[in-house]
C-alpha cells in the first residue's frame, strides 16, 4: 500500500469518482472543493500536510479540492477536526449528500420522494426497495461489466438511501407484485435468500405496504411483457414504464399511463392476495 492507513481507512477511499456527465453534481463539488481549500489555507496547511493529518495522500486532497472526487462523510469529519473548523467542513456533508449518488438514481429518488402511490411488478428479481443490503450486494456483483469496489459501494449506498421512502411520513401506499421465481433464485446463497425472505415478511407488516406473489403456474397475465413500475403523485399526475413497451422509457402521457394502469390492475387481481402471499413466502422460507 502506497499510503498510510488511518482508523482502517486508506487514501483510495477518501472519495468517490465523479460522473463526467453529471454537470449539476460537478458544480456542487467545485464549490465544496473551494470551501475545503479555503479552510485548509486559513489553517496554514499545505495539501500534503492535510493529507498527513487525515491519513490521505496529497494527490487525493488536491482531487477533492478541485471537485474531481466526491468526499466521503468520514473524511469531512476528520478534516473538520484537524483543521479546527468548528463544524464548517463537516457541514459540507449536506452539500454532497445527494451528489454522492449517480445522477440517474438521484433523479429516480426525487420522483420517489414525491410519489404518494407506488405500483411495482417485478418478474426477474426482487424490487430494489424490498432488498436487504446483502442481497443487493450479491445481485450487483452479478452484473456485467463488473463494478469496481468503489462503484459497487456507491450504488449500494444509493439503493440503501432510496429504501428510506418505505418508512417516510406521511407514508405513501406501496403495492408490489413479485413473480415466484424472483423469490426462489438463491442470489448470494441460501442464507442470504433466507434473510431476504424474512425481510419481505417484515416489510409486508407495514400498514402502507402490500406484497403479492404471482405463482409461476399463473401464466395468463399481461406481465409477460416485463417489469411495470408506476409512481403516482398528489397532484394527480403520474410516471411509469414497462419493459418492451414505449422503448422501456418512462412515460407521463395519460393514454400510455392508462395502459400501464390497466395491465398492472389485471396482474394484481390475478396474483395471490397479501395474506396468501405471506403464507407462500413463509412456506418458501421453510423450504430454503
Amino acid at each position: 500500500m502506497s499510503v498510510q492507513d488511518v482508523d482502517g481507512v486508506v487514501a483510495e477511499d477518501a472519495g468517490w469518482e465523479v460522473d463526467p456527465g453529471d454537470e449539476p453534481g460537478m458544480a456542487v463539488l467545485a464549490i465544496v472543493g473551494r470551501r475545503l481549500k479555503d479552510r485548509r489555507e486559513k489553517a496554514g496547511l499545505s495539501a500534503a500536510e492535510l493529507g498527513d493529518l487525515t491519513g490521505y495522500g496529497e494527490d487525493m486532497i488536491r482531487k477533492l479540492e478541485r471537485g474531481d472526487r466526491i468526499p466521503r462523510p468520514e473524511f469531512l469529519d476528520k478534516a473538520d477536526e484537524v483543521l479546527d473548523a468548528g463544524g464548517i467542513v463537516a457541514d459540507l456533508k449536506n452539500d454532497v449528500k445527494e451528489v454522492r449518488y449517480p445522477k440517474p438514481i438521484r433523479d429516480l429518488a426525487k420522483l420517489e420522494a414525491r410519489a404518494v402511490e407506488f405500483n411495482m411488478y417485478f418478474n426477474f428479481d426482487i424490487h430494489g426497495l424490498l432488498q436487504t443490503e446483502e442481497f443487493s450486494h450479491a445481485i450487483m456483483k452479478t452484473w456485467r461489466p463488473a463494478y469496481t469496489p468503489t462503484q459497487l459501494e456507491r450504488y449500494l449506498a444509493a439503493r440503501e438511501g432510496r429504501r428510506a421512502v418505505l418508512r417516510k411520513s406521511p407514508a405513501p401506499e406501496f403495492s408490489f407484485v413479485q413473480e415466484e421465481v424472483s423469490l426462489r433464485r438463491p442470489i448470494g446463497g441460501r442464507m442470504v435468500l433466507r434473510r431476504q425472505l424474512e425481510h419481505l415478511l417484515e416489510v409486508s407488516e407495514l400498514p402502507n405496504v402490500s406484497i403479492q406473489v404471482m405463482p409461476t403456474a399463473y401464466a395468463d397475465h399481461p406481465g409477460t411483457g416485463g417489469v411495470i413500475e408506476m409512481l403516482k403523485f398528489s397532484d394527480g399526475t403520474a410516471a411509469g414504464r414497462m419493459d418492451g413497451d414505449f422503448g422501456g422509457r418512462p412515460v407521463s402521457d395519460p393514454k400510455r399511463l392508462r395502459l400501464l394502469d390497466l395491465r398492472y390492475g389485471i396482474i394484481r387481481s390475478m396474483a395471490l392476495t397479501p395474506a396468501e402471499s405471506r403464507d407462500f413466502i413463509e412456506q418458501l422460507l421453510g423450504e430454503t
Side-chain angles (χ1 to χ4, degrees), residues 18-167:
V18 180
D19 294 334
D22 184 2
E23 293 184 5
M26 292 173 71
V28 169
L29 293 173
I31 295 172
V32 168
R34 284 198 298 271
R35 290 176 179 170
L36 177 62
K37 183 178 180 180
D38 288 345
R39 196 67 201 185
R40 172 179 62 77
E41 291 178 341
K42 286 180 180 178
L45 296 177
S46 67
E49 289 170 330
L50 178 58
D52 288 340
L53 290 170
T54 56
Y56 299 108
E58 177 183 359
D59 182 58
M60 180 61 68
I61 299 298
R62 294 198 180 281
K63 285 180 179 179
L64 293 170
E65 292 182 348
R66 290 196 304 266
D68 292 340
R69 299 280 288 187
I70 304 170
R72 292 176 180 271
E74 56 267 26
F75 165 77
L76 293 173
D77 285 335
K78 185 68 175 178
D80 190 273
E81 178 186 338
V82 301
L83 295 173
D84 194 23
I88 293 175
V89 172
D91 285 347
L92 294 175
K93 290 184 292 188
N94 296 324
D95 296 283
V96 300
K97 184 176 182 180
E98 286 192 7
V99 300
R100 67 192 182 109
Y101 302 144
K103 187 176 184 300
I105 297 178
R106 292 206 312 269
D107 294 342
L108 175 59
K110 288 178 181 177
L111 284 176
E112 291 176 342
R114 288 178 48 215
V116 296
E117 184 179 336
F118 291 64
N119 292 327
M120 309 292 190
Y121 164 73
F122 257 47
N123 60 357
F124 56 88
D125 65 16
I126 295 171
H127 194 283
L129 293 179
L130 296 176
Q131 292 176 12
T132 63
E133 184 175 358
E134 63 178 348
F135 190 91
S136 294
H137 184 272
I139 204 165
M140 286 185 187
K141 288 185 71 174
T142 69
W143 294 351
R144 295 295 183 270
Y147 289 148
T148 65
T150 300
Q151 288 173 326
L152 181 60
E153 181 187 3
R154 193 177 178 206
Y155 275 91
L156 285 170
R159 181 162 288 184
E160 182 65 25
R162 284 177 55 212
R163 281 194 279 266
V165 74
L166 285 168
R167 301 175 187 275

Side-chain angles (χ1 to χ4, degrees), residues 212-215 218-222 265-273:
Q212 295 175 252
V213 176
M214 178 67 77
Y218 295 6
D220 188 21
H221 66 79
I266 295 173
I267 291 170
R268 188 177 184 182
S269 68
M270 293 181 64
L272 300 179
T273 67

